[in-house]
Amino acid sequence: KDLRNFKVDTNIAGRAYQLEAIKRVAENFAVTHNERYVGTNRKSLLVMATGSGKTRTSAAIVDMLTKCNWAKRILFLADRNALVTQAKNAFKEHLEHLSSIDLTKEKEDNSTRLVFSTYPTIMNKIDSLRSEEERFYGVGHFDVIIIDEAHRSVYQKYRAIFEYFDSLLIGLTATPKKN
């Protein structure tokens, strides 16, 4: 379905700037080329001030991507356990119909729709073998990866995560990194 036509649930994210951010992500991922609807861009970055609702905005984006059949499984990455727990609780409050786990505390399940993890935890999961040379998470397991606090240097340190998974990437940041 065309993401650009999705009606955002304003109970999840209803502030004007949140709706604008969601609209811009939809426009970035879903474009019309030669009168054909195609998805060409695979990365988006949301730069929003601290306390402006980046997690709620990303939950509304997940709602949009799942309801438009663009995504089945989502990985949410944060650099600290406290941020993983906060994000999982916020998503659970607004998207209770999607099963979720915190990989830092719970055992993984192949049918879970929302997976919350720290960078080292997911690195261990993709580096370790499940059984008979098969990784638990294949390259196409996640359709979307959300990167909390994307301005930190984690991209360089944990670049292998983003190179391993073939998925859409959505970065969340309050302070963009200067080059």
Side-chain angles (χ1 to χ4, degrees), residues 100-134:
S100 64
I101 61 166
D102 177 346
L103 274 186
T104 65
K105 299 174 184 170
E106 302 169 78
K107 188 172 172 63
E108 67 252 272
D109 178 351
N110 206 19
S111 64
T112 304
R113 303 280 305 273
L114 298 170
V115 176
F116 296 85
S117 177
T118 59
Y119 297 95
T121 302
I122 198 68
M123 282 292 288
N124 289 337
K125 297 296 181 193
I126 62 176
D127 285 344
S128 65
L129 301 177
R130 183 173 177 211
S131 64
E132 299 174 22
E133 304 298 317
E134 179 186 323

Side-chain angles (χ1 to χ4, degrees), residues 6 9 12 58-68 95 97:
F6 183 75
D9 182 347
I12 300 174
S58 62
I61 290 170
V62 166
D63 188 47
M64 172 181 68
L65 292 170
T66 55
K67 288 182 178 171
C68 288
L95 303 174
H97 62 285

Side-chain angles (χ1 to χ4, degrees), residues 38-173:
V38 293
T40 55
N41 298 317
R42 298 185 47 80
K43 296 177 184 176
S44 284
L45 178 65
L46 293 178
V47 181
M48 298 169 67
T50 301
S52 61
K54 287 183 293 295
T55 305
R56 286 179 77 129
T57 303
S58 62
I61 290 170
V62 166
D63 188 47
M64 172 181 68
L65 292 170
T66 55
K67 288 182 178 171
C68 288
N69 299 320
W70 276 58
K72 183 176 180 182
R73 291 188 214 100
I74 293 89
L75 173 62
F76 188 101
L77 292 172
D79 61 349
R80 291 175 294 167
N81 289 344
L83 294 175
V84 169
T85 302
Q86 275 180 347
K88 182 181 179 225
N89 290 341
F91 272 70
K92 191 174 184 177
E93 178 184 343
H94 300 292
L95 303 174
E96 67 262 352
H97 62 285
L98 298 177
S99 57
S100 64
I101 61 166
D102 177 346
L103 274 186
T104 65
K105 299 174 184 170
E106 302 169 78
K107 188 172 172 63
E108 67 252 272
D109 178 351
N110 206 19
S111 64
T112 304
R113 303 280 305 273
L114 298 170
V115 176
F116 296 85
S117 177
T118 59
Y119 297 95
T121 302
I122 198 68
M123 282 292 288
N124 289 337
K125 297 296 181 193
I126 62 176
D127 285 344
S128 65
L129 301 177
R130 183 173 177 211
S131 64
E132 299 174 22
E133 304 298 317
E134 179 186 323
R135 292 180 175 165
F136 188 84
Y137 294 124
V139 296
H141 188 84
F142 296 106
D143 302 302
V144 179
I145 298 176
I146 299 172
I147 308 151
D148 195 21
E149 304 292 341
H151 64 279
R152 300 201 180 165
S153 61
V154 294
Y155 185 77
Q156 295 302 322
K157 188 173 181 182
Y158 295 109
R159 175 179 237 137
I161 297 168
F162 313 114
E163 291 173 348
Y164 176 74
F165 290 114
D166 180 21
S167 63
L168 298 173
L169 293 176
I170 301 172
L172 308 175
T173 187

Side-chain angles (χ1 to χ4, degrees), residues 16-53:
Y17 59 86
Q18 293 170 331
L19 296 172
E20 184 70 20
I22 296 161
K23 177 182 173 185
R24 296 298 178 194
V25 168
E27 290 171 349
N28 183 52
F29 286 154
V31 297
T32 304
H33 181 68
N34 293 335
E35 298 184 25
R36 253 184 84 228
Y37 174 68
V38 293
T40 55
N41 298 317
R42 298 185 47 80
K43 296 177 184 176
S44 284
L45 178 65
L46 293 178
V47 181
M48 298 169 67
T50 301
S52 61

